[in-house]
Amino acid sequence: KLYTVVNQETCISCGSCGACAPDIFDYDGERKAFVHIDGNRGTALIEDEDMLFDLEDALDGCPTDSIKTGVEPIVTADAGSY
Ligand code: F3S
């Protein structure tokens, strides 16, 4: 069970995360990724096995380590941007 959020400061819009985990990640008008299930707030607990598997793929595939995960809700500067 994990919370996740994208650091949009470092995302280079490579598109890997949305391909790996379309149920979690989407892209804004600038092609920056964000967690669409909670508006990139880091507050939605992901419990579904398939989603966690996809999240692992996305984590491994992000070239800039822009995807953060944690067992507690994650507080970010981007919170509430969406
Ligand atoms: Fe950005 Fe990493 Fe996704 S660079 S588009 S957060 S895979």
Side-chain angles (χ1 to χ4, degrees):
K1 299 179 184 177
L2 290 171
Y3 296 88
T4 186
V5 75
V6 173
N7 180 351
Q8 295 201 317
E9 298 293 316
T10 56
C11 171
I12 56 168
S13 312
C14 83
S16 174
C17 56
C20 291
D23 291 339
I24 300 173
F25 301 102
D26 201 353
Y27 305 97
D28 68 13
E30 295 177 356
R31 303 287 307 152
K32 298 279 188 179
F34 68 99
V35 177
H36 68 71
I37 54 176
D38 63 5
N40 211 44
R41 289 182 173 82
T43 54
L45 181 60
I46 298 168
E47 301 184 79
D48 181 83
E49 289 284 329
D50 290 337
M51 285 173 75
L52 287 168
F53 191 77
D54 290 349
L55 175 57
E56 199 67 39
D57 270 355
L59 272 178
D60 289 347
C62 180
T64 57
D65 288 331
S66 297
I67 302 169
K68 307 300 173 195
T69 58
V71 294
E72 303 281 337
I74 304 162
V75 177
T76 70
D78 288 334
S81 307
Y82 297 93

